[in-house]
Amino acid sequence: MRSSYFPVSLGAFRLGPVPTLFDAHPNPARRPDRVVREGIVHLPAFLTMEQQEQVVSTAREYARRTASLPWRMRQRRVKSGTMSAHLMSLGEHWDYERHRYIRGEGSQAVPAIPETFVGIAHAVLRMAGELDESLAPWVAGFRVEAALVNYYPPGSGMGLHQDGYEDSGAPVVSLSIGDSAVFRAGGTIDRNKPWDDIYLESGDALVFGGPARDIFHGIVRLDDNTAPMGCGLRQGRINVTFRQVR
Ligand SMILES: O=C(O)CCC(=O)C(=O)O
Ligand SMILES: [Fe+2]
């Protein structure tokens, strides 16, 4: 009988589940919620795998639906060249030519931000506000007016920049799904060091606001083949960034 190999008394000395070939982290040391620096809060694994998959499939559906519109998912030309990430706007769209946020053009409206996304954004900021006093004043009145969906193909990134188009000083709330990435958070004056490099994995949330609202930041590395099974993306990374515009 099998039980003869596993005397009952052994149970008292068990140290935990036996790692198997299939455990990515045999001894998962949970990455703790962290105030990286005043105004910057990293919430690892904020989204469940089901939520990640839902965000990705919703983003896909919107990308299909808006494929012929100015705010469709596409690479944008900026001063320094063409961005390697693909961007799609929901809610409001930053019009690079007219240099202002628009809600549509003619009879075409920028699609509304899905309610599920809005709910997630509020939940993220609420949690971040509990950890960081500089974010707390923004929690109650936060209006999720613009959502930028960025798709990063393998090997892409985003240069250091400031999110400076919004009149509001409300925090920026962001979600990461798919391949892991290094988010570089610099200072508010220029792109120079010191930086905090934050490792964002699939399901993580990040908030920057308060004294860190105007930091230079960007994506300096994407790690191929790190997207977890079930997140909805086989390769590359999706970032959704929520902003209050005015
Ligand atoms: O991909 C990210 O985590 C950052 C995206 C970003 O900085 C932006 O969309 O302005
Ligand atoms: Fe940004």
Side-chain angles (χ1 to χ4, degrees):
M1 269 209 8
R2 281 195 74 86
S3 60
S4 65
Y5 294 103
F6 298 94
V8 174
S9 61
L10 244 186
F13 302 100
R14 255 209 310 265
L15 295 173
V18 178
T20 74
L21 181 60
F22 308 104
D23 292 330
H25 301 285
N27 180 17
R30 215 186 85 72
R31 295 169 300 138
D33 294 342
R34 186 164 78 102
V35 179
V36 177
R37 136 184 24 137
E38 196 184 6
I40 307 179
V41 177
H42 178 203
L43 304 172
F46 189 89
L47 300 176
T48 65
M49 203 58 83
E50 290 70 33
Q51 286 175 310
Q52 295 172 48
E53 200 277 328
Q54 202 201 356
V55 170
V56 173
S57 61
T58 305
R60 277 210 179 92
E61 182 195 320
Y62 277 67
R64 249 180 246 125
R65 211 202 288 172
T66 60
S68 63
L69 302 172
W71 34 86
R72 69 186 179 276
M73 174 76 71
R74 64 163 164 170
Q75 289 175 298
R76 306 210 178 272
R77 265 192 300 279
V78 287
K79 267 174 278 163
S80 50
T82 301
M83 293 176 72
S84 57
H86 301 236
L87 282 57
M88 169 174 69
S89 310
L90 302 177
E92 302 204 29
H93 168 69
W94 178 257
D95 185 325
Y96 290 82
E97 277 83 56
R98 279 172 285 186
H99 220 75
R100 60 184 179 85
Y101 270 103
I102 57 170
R103 293 191 177 126
E105 213 166 72
S107 61
Q108 295 285 8
V110 180
I113 305 170
E115 277 309 310
T116 49
F117 286 26
V118 174
I120 292 169
H122 280 289
V124 170
L125 185 57
R126 209 177 307 124
M127 170 116 288
E130 282 172 21
L131 299 171
D132 182 329
E133 276 184 16
S134 75
L135 300 176
W138 297 100
V139 175
F142 187 48
R143 290 196 308 273
V144 183
E145 293 170 327
L148 189 62
V149 180
N150 297 313
Y151 172 66
Y152 294 81
S156 65
M158 191 178 283
L160 294 193
H161 64 279
Q162 290 168 298
D163 288 2
Y165 301 141
E166 300 76 31
D167 293 333
S168 164
V172 175
V173 170
S174 98
L175 306 174
S176 295
I177 303 173
D179 284 339
S180 304
V182 177
F183 179 97
R184 178 161 292 171
T188 55
I189 309 292
D190 56 34
R191 293 176 174 77
N192 299 335
K193 289 181 183 183
W195 303 310
D196 286 300
D197 282 351
I198 305 165
Y199 198 60
L200 295 178
E201 297 184 31
S202 197
D204 289 8
L206 183 79
V207 178
F208 56 95
R213 174 61 178 77
D214 295 328
I215 54 168
F216 280 89
H217 61 278
I219 294 295
V220 294
R221 197 182 83 218
L222 226 62
D223 286 346
D224 285 351
N225 302 313
T226 49
M229 284 278 265
C231 76
L233 265 189
R234 252 183 310 147
Q235 52 174 14
R237 170 175 182 263
I238 281 186
N239 160 262
V240 189
T241 301
F242 301 100
R243 298 187 179 81
Q244 179 171 326
V245 170
R246 52 187 73 78

